[in-house]
Amino acid sequence: LNPLFQAMESEVSAAFDSGEPEDILSRAFKLTVTREDICTLQPRGWLNDRIMNFYMGLLVERSKKEGYPAVYAFNTFFYSKLSSASHKGVKKWTKGVDIFEHDVILVPIHLRIHWTLLVIDLREKAIKYFDSLGQKGDHICKTVLKYLEEESREKRNIELTASEWTLHSMGTEEIPQQNNGSDCGVFVCKFADFISRDKPIIFTTEHMPYFRRKMVWEIIHQQLL
C-alpha cells in the first residue's frame, strides 16, 4: 500500500469511527454533510439525499473543467415533485438556468426504497434510465421528455420534436447490477460519474466497497479522484 493510500484509509476510518454524529465533515453546494450522513457510506449503508446531492454537486463542479461534457444535475427531490405536480410544480427550479445549454443532465430518482438514475443526453437527444435492479423506467422517461418539451417551450420559445428523441431503459445485460439491497445509491453515483466523463460503464458490484470508501474521501475533500 502506498503512503497516500494509507493516509486516505486512516482518514476514512476516522470519519466513520471518531467524533459525534452531528459533526460537520463537509460543506459545499448549500449542503452540509455530517458524520451521520457520511456513515451511510459504510458497508451496507443506505445512501441518503444529502450524500447523493453532494456527490452530484461534485460531478457538476468537475464538468466545468476543460475536456469534460457540460453537466447539470437536478436534486433528488426533483422527480417526485415533477411526477406529482407536473412542470408547473418545478418550473422555478431552473430559474436563471438554461438546462439546454448543457450536454448531459443527471436526474437521481428516489423510488421510496430504491435509488435509480435518469440521464438526458442533449447531444444525442436521448433519455436513458439506469436501474441496478433491472426494472424498466419507460414511464419515467416519458414524464421527463414531457417536462423537457414544456421547459423548452416556456424558457426558450422553442418546440421540441418528441419523435426525434430516443427513450431507453437500460437492460440488465447493458449495465452492472447490484447483488444486495443496499448498494443502489452507490450505483447511481457511479453511473453518473462514468457518464459525466463520457466513459463506458465498466465497473461491477465487486467495486462497491472500494467506491464507498473513495466517496467518503471525495466528499470530505470536495474533490473527485
Side-chain angles (χ1 to χ4, degrees), residues 35-51:
R35 191 179 309 280
E36 188 172 15
D37 298 323
I38 283 287
C39 283
T40 66
L41 283 160
Q42 286 179 311
R44 293 187 295 283
W46 208 84
L47 273 54
N48 66 14
D49 290 284
R50 219 173 276 175
I51 293 291

Side-chain angles (χ1 to χ4, degrees), residues 137-176:
D138 300 350
H139 64 292
I140 296 175
C141 293
K142 284 178 187 149
T143 301
V144 170
L145 179 58
K146 188 166 188 295
Y147 163 80
L148 289 177
E149 290 177 82
E150 292 174 5
E151 182 77 358
S152 181
R153 192 178 300 130
E154 191 147 317
K155 296 278 170 73
R156 309 188 298 167
N157 220 5
I158 296 173
E159 291 291 331
L160 284 194
T161 311
S163 59
E164 291 176 354
W165 284 73
T166 50
L167 313 185
H168 178 61
S169 291
M170 304 297 278
T172 52
E173 70 294 340
E174 293 176 279
I175 54 170

Side-chain angles (χ1 to χ4, degrees), residues 10-26 32-42 48 50-51 216 219-220:
S10 58
E11 242 180 301
V12 171
S13 298
F16 288 150
D17 301 331
S18 58
E20 300 301 320
E22 63 277 6
D23 290 345
I24 291 170
L25 300 190
S26 199
T32 52
V33 173
T34 64
R35 191 179 309 280
E36 188 172 15
D37 298 323
I38 283 287
C39 283
T40 66
L41 283 160
Q42 286 179 311
N48 66 14
R50 219 173 276 175
I51 293 291
V216 173
I219 289 169
I220 291 172

Side-chain angles (χ1 to χ4, degrees), residues 106-122:
L106 304 171
V107 188
I109 294 174
H110 188 199
L111 301 171
R112 291 195 300 282
I113 53 163
H114 184 47
W115 289 111
T116 65
L117 179 71
L118 181 135
V119 177
I120 303 161
D121 191 323
L122 289 159

Side-chain angles (χ1 to χ4, degrees), residues 60 63-64 69-73 97-105 120-123:
V60 169
S63 81
K64 295 170 186 171
V71 175
Y72 184 83
V97 179
D98 181 357
I99 60 171
F100 298 97
E101 284 177 354
H102 298 79
D103 299 316
V104 174
I105 301 171
I120 303 161
D121 191 323
L122 289 159
R123 302 164 296 185

